[in-house]
Every structure is written in structure tokens, then in C-alpha cells.
């Protein structure tokens, strides 16, 4: 089943199984076979943003296809009460939205 609110270019966190991973990034494509996300392992988010802010350069993001049977859940990266989304944290620290940033580095 394809969730209607998760459409490109939504920023999401993909929870994966076997092996268990969390991947953060921009949805590039979604269909009944799986999801394509341009992003990074969630555990690398802070280091990746810090690298951009401190060095003014962007380490490459991976564009990855995850087959639907491997996907446990997909969460839209959204603000939760006083806690800003990762996309908002990125924009505050870097000064551009993730979409603008990626468009300027293609």
C-alpha cells in the first residue's frame, strides 16, 4: 500500500529491517515495489550537517532503493511539539532547505 501523503519530495525517515537501519532523506520515487530516497543513515545526520557548516562543502548523499518488503515504516520528518524536524534543524544550521541544498549540488 502506498501512503498518499508520502510523495516526492517529502522528507522522511525510513525504518528498515534485516538489517535494522534508519535512513533520512528526500523521497525521490515511491511505488508498490519500494521507495527511492536521497539521503543518509540517520546516525550520520549531525556529523553530515556539521561538516557542511564547518567546511562549506557537502559530503555526497546516497540515492538508495529500498524494496518494500524491507521497509518497516516510513515517517514524514515533521515537527513534534517543541522538537523541530530534522529538515528544520538542517535549514536553521545550513541556511537553506534540504530541497534547495540538493538542487544546488546536482
Amino acid at each position: 500500500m502506498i501512503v498518499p501523503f508520502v510523495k516526492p519530495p517529502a522528507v522522511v525517515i525510513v525504518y528498515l529491517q534485516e538489517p535494522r537501519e534508519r535512513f533520512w532523506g528526500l523521497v525521490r520515487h515511491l511505488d508498490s515495489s519500494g521507495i527511492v530516497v536521497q539521503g543518509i543513515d540517520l546516525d550520520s545526520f549531525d556529523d553530515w550537517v556539521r561538516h557542511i557548516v564547518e567546511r562549506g562543502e557537502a559530503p555526497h548523499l546516497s540515492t538508495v532503493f529500498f524494496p518494500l518488503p524491507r521497509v518497516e515504516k516510513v515517517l514524514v520528518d515533521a515537527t513534534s511539539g517543541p522538537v523541530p524536524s530534522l529538515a528544520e534543524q538542517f535549514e536553521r544550521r545550513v541556511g537553506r532547505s534540504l530541497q534547495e541544498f540538493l538542487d544546488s549540488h546536482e
Side-chain angles (χ1 to χ4, degrees), residues 1 14-20 30-35 65-74:
M1 178 172 115
V14 181
Y15 286 76
L16 303 159
Q17 52 191 353
E18 298 175 25
R20 296 192 66 75
L30 175 67
D31 63 24
S32 60
S33 65
I35 186 170
F65 170 77
F66 297 113
L68 215 48
R70 184 154 180 243
V71 175
E72 182 178 316
K73 63 184 170 185
V74 177

Short mmCIF file of all heavy atoms in Angstrom, two decimals, residues 1 14-20 30-35 65-74:
data_model
loop_
_atom_site.label_atom_id
_atom_site.label_comp_id
_atom_site.label_asym_id
_atom_site.label_seq_id
_atom_site.Cartn_x
_atom_site.Cartn_y
_atom_site.Cartn_z
N MET A 1 0.84 -1.19 0.00
CA MET A 1 0.00 0.00 0.00
C MET A 1 0.88 1.24 0.00
O MET A 1 1.84 1.34 0.77
CB MET A 1 -0.88 -0.01 1.24
CG MET A 1 -1.76 1.20 1.34
SD MET A 1 -2.92 1.03 2.68
CE MET A 1 -2.35 2.33 3.73
N VAL A 14 13.07 6.49 6.98
CA VAL A 14 12.66 5.14 6.59
C VAL A 14 13.26 4.16 7.61
O VAL A 14 14.47 4.14 7.80
CB VAL A 14 13.15 4.79 5.17
CG1 VAL A 14 12.70 3.39 4.77
CG2 VAL A 14 12.66 5.81 4.16
N TYR A 15 12.40 3.40 8.25
CA TYR A 15 12.84 2.36 9.18
C TYR A 15 12.90 1.06 8.41
O TYR A 15 11.91 0.65 7.79
CB TYR A 15 11.86 2.24 10.35
CG TYR A 15 11.96 3.37 11.33
CD1 TYR A 15 11.43 4.63 11.04
CD2 TYR A 15 12.59 3.20 12.55
CE1 TYR A 15 11.52 5.67 11.94
CE2 TYR A 15 12.69 4.24 13.47
CZ TYR A 15 12.15 5.47 13.14
OH TYR A 15 12.25 6.50 14.03
N LEU A 16 14.06 0.41 8.45
CA LEU A 16 14.29 -0.80 7.67
C LEU A 16 14.53 -1.99 8.58
O LEU A 16 14.98 -1.83 9.72
CB LEU A 16 15.51 -0.60 6.76
CG LEU A 16 15.38 0.59 5.81
CD1 LEU A 16 16.74 1.04 5.33
CD2 LEU A 16 14.48 0.23 4.66
N GLN A 17 14.25 -3.17 8.05
CA GLN A 17 14.51 -4.39 8.80
C GLN A 17 15.48 -5.28 8.03
O GLN A 17 15.60 -5.16 6.82
CB GLN A 17 13.21 -5.12 9.08
CG GLN A 17 12.35 -5.36 7.87
CD GLN A 17 10.97 -5.84 8.26
OE1 GLN A 17 10.69 -6.12 9.40
NE2 GLN A 17 10.11 -5.95 7.28
N GLU A 18 16.16 -6.12 8.74
CA GLU A 18 17.08 -7.13 8.19
C GLU A 18 18.11 -6.56 7.22
O GLU A 18 18.02 -6.82 6.03
CB GLU A 18 16.28 -8.25 7.55
CG GLU A 18 15.41 -8.97 8.54
CD GLU A 18 14.53 -10.01 7.87
OE1 GLU A 18 14.89 -10.52 6.80
OE2 GLU A 18 13.50 -10.32 8.44
N PRO A 19 19.10 -5.84 7.62
CA PRO A 19 19.40 -5.42 8.98
C PRO A 19 18.61 -4.17 9.35
O PRO A 19 18.17 -3.41 8.49
CB PRO A 19 20.90 -5.10 8.93
CG PRO A 19 21.15 -4.66 7.53
CD PRO A 19 20.19 -5.47 6.68
N ARG A 20 18.49 -3.94 10.64
CA ARG A 20 17.74 -2.78 11.14
C ARG A 20 18.56 -1.52 10.89
O ARG A 20 19.71 -1.43 11.29
CB ARG A 20 17.43 -2.93 12.63
CG ARG A 20 16.51 -4.13 12.87
CD ARG A 20 15.93 -4.16 14.25
NE ARG A 20 15.02 -3.09 14.58
CZ ARG A 20 13.76 -2.96 14.15
NH1 ARG A 20 13.27 -3.83 13.31
NH2 ARG A 20 13.01 -1.98 14.56
N LEU A 30 8.38 6.54 -5.19
CA LEU A 30 7.69 5.58 -4.34
C LEU A 30 6.65 4.87 -5.18
O LEU A 30 5.85 5.51 -5.86
CB LEU A 30 7.03 6.31 -3.16
CG LEU A 30 6.16 5.48 -2.22
CD1 LEU A 30 7.02 4.48 -1.45
CD2 LEU A 30 5.42 6.38 -1.25
N ASP A 31 6.71 3.54 -5.17
CA ASP A 31 5.67 2.76 -5.83
C ASP A 31 5.51 1.43 -5.09
O ASP A 31 6.10 1.24 -4.03
CB ASP A 31 5.95 2.56 -7.33
CG ASP A 31 7.21 1.78 -7.63
OD1 ASP A 31 7.66 1.00 -6.77
OD2 ASP A 31 7.75 1.95 -8.73
N SER A 32 4.74 0.52 -5.65
CA SER A 32 4.46 -0.73 -4.94
C SER A 32 5.67 -1.65 -4.82
O SER A 32 5.64 -2.61 -4.05
CB SER A 32 3.32 -1.47 -5.65
OG SER A 32 3.68 -1.76 -6.98
N SER A 33 6.76 -1.35 -5.53
CA SER A 33 7.95 -2.19 -5.40
C SER A 33 8.89 -1.69 -4.30
O SER A 33 9.69 -2.45 -3.77
CB SER A 33 8.72 -2.27 -6.73
OG SER A 33 9.23 -1.01 -7.09
N GLY A 34 8.82 -0.39 -3.99
CA GLY A 34 9.69 0.14 -2.96
C GLY A 34 9.79 1.65 -2.98
O GLY A 34 8.99 2.34 -3.62
N ILE A 35 10.81 2.15 -2.30
CA ILE A 35 10.99 3.60 -2.15
C ILE A 35 12.43 3.96 -2.50
O ILE A 35 13.36 3.25 -2.14
CB ILE A 35 10.62 4.05 -0.71
CG1 ILE A 35 10.65 5.58 -0.57
CG2 ILE A 35 11.50 3.38 0.32
CD1 ILE A 35 10.07 6.09 0.75
N PHE A 65 17.57 2.65 -3.30
CA PHE A 65 16.27 1.98 -3.44
C PHE A 65 16.14 0.96 -2.33
O PHE A 65 17.03 0.13 -2.12
CB PHE A 65 16.17 1.27 -4.80
CG PHE A 65 14.97 0.37 -4.90
CD1 PHE A 65 13.71 0.91 -5.10
CD2 PHE A 65 15.10 -1.00 -4.78
CE1 PHE A 65 12.59 0.08 -5.19
CE2 PHE A 65 14.00 -1.84 -4.86
CZ PHE A 65 12.74 -1.29 -5.07
N PHE A 66 15.02 1.03 -1.60
CA PHE A 66 14.72 0.03 -0.58
C PHE A 66 13.46 -0.73 -1.03
O PHE A 66 12.41 -0.11 -1.21
CB PHE A 66 14.44 0.68 0.77
CG PHE A 66 15.62 1.42 1.33
CD1 PHE A 66 15.59 2.80 1.46
CD2 PHE A 66 16.77 0.75 1.73
CE1 PHE A 66 16.67 3.50 1.98
CE2 PHE A 66 17.86 1.43 2.26
CZ PHE A 66 17.81 2.80 2.38
N PRO A 67 13.58 -2.04 -1.24
CA PRO A 67 12.39 -2.81 -1.63
C PRO A 67 11.36 -2.80 -0.51
O PRO A 67 11.71 -2.84 0.67
CB PRO A 67 12.93 -4.22 -1.88
CG PRO A 67 14.28 -4.27 -1.26
CD PRO A 67 14.77 -2.87 -1.10
N LEU A 68 10.10 -2.74 -0.89
CA LEU A 68 9.03 -2.60 0.10
C LEU A 68 9.05 -3.69 1.18
O LEU A 68 8.80 -3.37 2.35
CB LEU A 68 7.67 -2.57 -0.59
CG LEU A 68 6.63 -1.67 0.03
CD1 LEU A 68 7.16 -0.29 0.35
CD2 LEU A 68 5.41 -1.58 -0.83
N PRO A 69 9.38 -4.95 0.88
CA PRO A 69 9.41 -5.94 1.97
C PRO A 69 10.44 -5.62 3.06
O PRO A 69 10.31 -6.07 4.19
CB PRO A 69 9.78 -7.24 1.25
CG PRO A 69 9.33 -7.05 -0.15
CD PRO A 69 9.55 -5.58 -0.43
N ARG A 70 11.44 -4.83 2.75
CA ARG A 70 12.45 -4.48 3.75
C ARG A 70 12.02 -3.27 4.59
O ARG A 70 12.57 -3.02 5.66
CB ARG A 70 13.78 -4.17 3.03
CG ARG A 70 14.86 -3.90 4.02
CD ARG A 70 16.23 -4.19 3.53
NE ARG A 70 17.12 -3.87 4.63
CZ ARG A 70 18.04 -2.94 4.61
NH1 ARG A 70 18.27 -2.24 3.53
NH2 ARG A 70 18.77 -2.71 5.68
N VAL A 71 11.06 -2.50 4.12
CA VAL A 71 10.62 -1.28 4.80
C VAL A 71 9.64 -1.63 5.92
O VAL A 71 8.60 -2.23 5.68
CB VAL A 71 9.97 -0.30 3.80
CG1 VAL A 71 9.41 0.91 4.52
CG2 VAL A 71 10.96 0.11 2.73
N GLU A 72 10.03 -1.26 7.13
CA GLU A 72 9.16 -1.48 8.28
C GLU A 72 8.13 -0.37 8.38
O GLU A 72 6.94 -0.60 8.56
CB GLU A 72 9.99 -1.54 9.55
CG GLU A 72 9.20 -1.83 10.80
CD GLU A 72 10.10 -1.93 12.01
OE1 GLU A 72 11.16 -2.57 11.94
OE2 GLU A 72 9.72 -1.33 13.04
N LYS A 73 8.61 0.89 8.27
CA LYS A 73 7.70 2.03 8.28
C LYS A 73 8.41 3.24 7.69
O LYS A 73 9.63 3.30 7.64
CB LYS A 73 7.18 2.34 9.68
CG LYS A 73 8.24 2.75 10.68
CD LYS A 73 7.64 2.94 12.07
CE LYS A 73 8.71 3.11 13.13
NZ LYS A 73 8.15 3.19 14.47
N VAL A 74 7.60 4.19 7.26
CA VAL A 74 8.10 5.46 6.72
C VAL A 74 7.41 6.57 7.50
O VAL A 74 6.18 6.64 7.53
CB VAL A 74 7.79 5.61 5.21
CG1 VAL A 74 8.26 6.96 4.70
CG2 VAL A 74 8.42 4.47 4.41
#
